[in-house]
Every structure is written in structure tokens, then in C-alpha cells.
């Protein structure tokens, strides 16, 4: 059984991961055995829910006693400091979106993984959902791909590194649908929407990042346009939305092979960093 530590307990994804590995497990091959964070009511409740006996203040305390680390901090600025020591120690890491809040930090995480040949991965949960898979299949059914538009919620003023916190969902889905190195990025703004356009292997990619209100937010949605047709529909999240991505990480642990290459990990971070630069 893989013994997994989790840091970033303030994120709702932490609760979902604990549920799917410890409470109603989707596998007997892995379990959350340790949490990183303050000894407070919230973390004690999570530990009780998941029957987790270890609660430590710093992730580094767990190096040598666990087989993997999941990083779920809301703020991507914290991800490098947690991930790199584990990768340097040869312990696999899943950084649950975004990989980092800067290209420099993202590259440092990747470099640490490459130094020790230790698998690391990071992605939005949206990337692996059934609707995202249908959209990916759609790119093969519309003829020569011309353009994609991905819409989703994001707040440039978020306390969790601004556009990175929720913008990673749309940016990562766009990278799956139109993979490649982003070029010629331009940004416009309406009252409550950031619109970013760039090219990826000749395909025009548009991200529409809409600031949520107190009462709701836009759904994730994508439109694919080819020379012979188009595909357009929502990407829906249900109560199991974390499970597909969790299974991808469990496969990484079982095989030792990361699901995404370095360029794919970096591309959405580069896009979001360039958006931030043009917003300030």
C-alpha cells in the first residue's frame, strides 16, 4: 500500500481526496496517512474523518516515512517549497493545480524531478472529466482544427495568486484540446471577464475567464471549430469530479510514469503568467 502525505488541507480537494482514499476508498492500494498543517479544529476533523493519525506542522518532517506527497494548497506560490524537497528525496509528487504561480517555480519543480528521475505531475481535475474526453475526441472529428474557446470562472483579484487559482482549469483544458507552446498571447478585459487569445501550433485559442459573483459562476465550457464541423458543450463537475484525476496519480505511483510531459506541465503556467503580466 502506498502511504501518502497531503499538504494544503484548506482546499476542498483535500477533503475529497481523503474521502476517496480513506473513507469510501476507490482502491486498497493507497491511503492518506499524514496531514500537514496546524493542529487546529479543521485539521483534527479531517484527520478524524479519514482515521489519520499523523498531523505535522511541516511537510519536510515526513520525508522518509511516506511513499508520495499530494500538494493541494490553494495558493500556487506555496507549491515549490513543498514539492522540491520530496522530489530531491526521490518521492513522487502530485501538485493538484496549479503546478506553481510562476514559470520559474514550475521549472524548478520539474528540474528537481528530472535530477532524481522521480515522477511529478500536475493538472486540473477538469482535464480528466468525461466531458473533457468527449471534447478531446471532438478535435479529431471536425476536420483540420482552426480554433478553440474555453470558458470558465476565475478572479484576477483572488488572494490565491490571482488568476492562477481558478484560471488553471480553463488553461489546462485548452492545453489538452490544442497542445503546444503558447505564442503571441494578447489580453483584453470587459467589466468582469479576462479574455486571452494566443496560438498553439497554429490553432487560435481563446480563454474567457469570468469573475464569479456572490451567487454563482459560469460553467466550464469549450467550443472546438474545425474546417468540417464544430463541437460545443459544457464540462460538468459531479460529486466524483476528483476521482478521474486521482486515478491518474495512482497509476503514476503504480507504474512510475508521469502522465504529462514537461512541456505540457509548463504551458498553462506560462499562459497564466503572461495574462497576469498584461493585467498589471
Amino acid at each position: 500500500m502506498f502511504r501518502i502525505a497531503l499538504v494544503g488541507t484548506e482546499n476542498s480537494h483535500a477533503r475529497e481526496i481523503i474521502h476517496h482514499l480513506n473513507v469510501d476508498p476507490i482502491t486498497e492500494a493507497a491511503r492518506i496517512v499524514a496531514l500537514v498543517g496546524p493542529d487546529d479544529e479543521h485539521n483534527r476533523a479531517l484527520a478524524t474523518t479519514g482515521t489519520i493519525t499523523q498531523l505535522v506542522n511541516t511537510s519536510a518532517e515526513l520525508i522518509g516515512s511516506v511513499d508520495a506527497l499530494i500538494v493541494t494548497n490553494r495558493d500556487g506560490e506555496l507549491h515549490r517549497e513543498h514539492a522540491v524537497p520530496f522530489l530531491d528525496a526521490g518521492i513522487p509528487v502530485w501538485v493538484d493545480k496549479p503546478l506553481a504561480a510562476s514559470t520559474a517555480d514550475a521549472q524548478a519543480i520539474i528540474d528537481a524531478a528530472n535530477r532524481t528521475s522521480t515522477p511529478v505531475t500536475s493538472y486540473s481535475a477538469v482535464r480528466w472529466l468525461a466531458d473533457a474526453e468527449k471534447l478531446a475526441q471532438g478535435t479529431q472529428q471536425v476536420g483540420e482544427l482552426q480554433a478553440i474557446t474555453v470558458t470558465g470562472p476565475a478572479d484576477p483579484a483572488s488572494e490565491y495568486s490571482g488568476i492562477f487559482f481558478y484560471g488553471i482549469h480553463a488553461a489546462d483544458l485548452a492545453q489538452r484540446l490544442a497542445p503546444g507552446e503558447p505564442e503571441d498571447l494578447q489580453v483584453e478585459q470587459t467589466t468582469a471577464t479576462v479574455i486571452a487569445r494566443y496560438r498553439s501550433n497554429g490553432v487560435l485559442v481563446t480563454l474567457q475567464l469570468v469573475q464569479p459573483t456572490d451567487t454563482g459562476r459560469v460553467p466550464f465550457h469549450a467550443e472546438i471549430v474545425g474546417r468540417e464541423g464544430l463541437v460545443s458543450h459544457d464540462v460538468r463537475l459531479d460529486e466524483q469530479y476528483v476521482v478521474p484525476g486521482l486515478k491518474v496519480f495512482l497509476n503514476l505511483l503504480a507504474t512510475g510514469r508521469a502522465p504529462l510531459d514537461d512541456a505540457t506541465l509548463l504551458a498553462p503556467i506560462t499562459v497564466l503568467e503572461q495574462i497576469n503580466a498584461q493585467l498589471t
Side-chain angles (χ1 to χ4, degrees):
M1 182 184 72
F2 293 106
R3 302 163 300 165
I4 302 174
L6 187 148
V7 59
T9 55
E10 79 283 359
N11 195 328
S12 63
H13 285 196
R15 182 180 64 251
E16 296 297 326
I17 291 166
I18 291 168
H19 177 82
H20 294 304
L21 288 184
N22 291 30
V23 180
D24 186 15
I26 60 173
T27 179
E28 297 300 322
R31 181 178 177 84
I32 303 297
V33 299
L35 301 178
V36 181
D39 185 1
D40 58 17
E41 183 178 354
H42 172 73
N43 285 331
R44 288 194 296 271
L46 281 179
T48 299
T49 297
T51 320
I52 300 165
T53 57
Q54 280 188 283
L55 175 59
V56 302
N57 286 321
T58 62
S59 55
E61 297 176 54
L62 298 169
I63 292 175
S65 66
V66 296
D67 304 307
L69 175 70
I70 299 176
V71 181
T72 62
N73 302 92
R74 287 176 175 170
D75 193 343
E77 287 191 357
L78 301 173
H79 292 174
R80 176 179 179 175
E81 69 179 74
H82 293 301
V84 168
F86 278 77
L87 294 168
D88 282 340
I91 300 170
V93 176
W94 170 25
V95 182
D96 173 38
K97 71 90 187 163
L99 177 59
S102 71
T103 300
D105 278 1
Q107 187 65 61
I109 292 170
I110 291 169
D111 289 345
N114 290 336
R115 279 196 301 270
T116 56
S117 299
T118 302
V120 65
T121 197
S122 182
Y123 40 76
S124 158
V126 172
R127 170 183 273 270
W128 305 111
L129 296 178
D131 286 332
E133 177 63 28
K134 292 176 184 176
L135 286 161
Q137 292 173 3
T139 64
Q140 308 302 313
Q141 299 165 356
V142 296
E144 184 183 359
L145 190 60
Q146 301 296 298
I148 69 164
T149 299
V150 180
T151 302
D155 183 0
S158 169
E159 62 184 303
Y160 307 116
S161 293
I163 207 78
F164 278 90
F165 178 51
Y166 248 77
I168 187 62
H169 292 301
D172 194 34
L173 178 58
Q175 178 64 17
R176 179 174 184 187
L177 300 178
E181 184 176 352
E183 298 178 327
D184 304 323
L185 184 140
Q186 298 179 333
V187 175
E188 298 179 61
Q189 284 184 276
T190 66
T191 303
T193 301
V194 174
I195 302 168
R197 295 185 178 88
Y198 61 93
R199 293 191 178 273
S200 179
N201 283 332
V203 176
L204 178 62
V205 178
T206 302
L207 303 181
Q208 299 182 140
L209 307 175
V210 186
Q211 186 174 349
T213 70
D214 292 336
T215 56
R217 62 191 186 197
V218 299
F220 294 105
H221 183 91
E223 180 177 81
I224 300 165
V225 179
R227 293 187 68 183
E228 300 171 11
L230 63 83
V231 174
S232 177
H233 60 77
D234 290 350
V235 180
R236 295 160 293 186
L237 281 67
D238 61 19
E239 61 183 14
Q240 300 286 311
Y241 74 98
V242 171
V243 171
L246 179 55
K247 288 182 176 179
V248 169
F249 177 60
L250 294 175
N251 186 65
L252 175 154
L253 295 180
T255 64
R257 295 191 298 270
L260 305 174
D261 61 25
D262 294 353
T264 301
L265 293 178
L266 279 173
I269 305 304
T270 299
V271 166
L272 294 170
E273 183 174 65
Q274 291 181 8
I275 291 172
N276 255 356
Q278 293 192 36
L279 290 177
T280 57

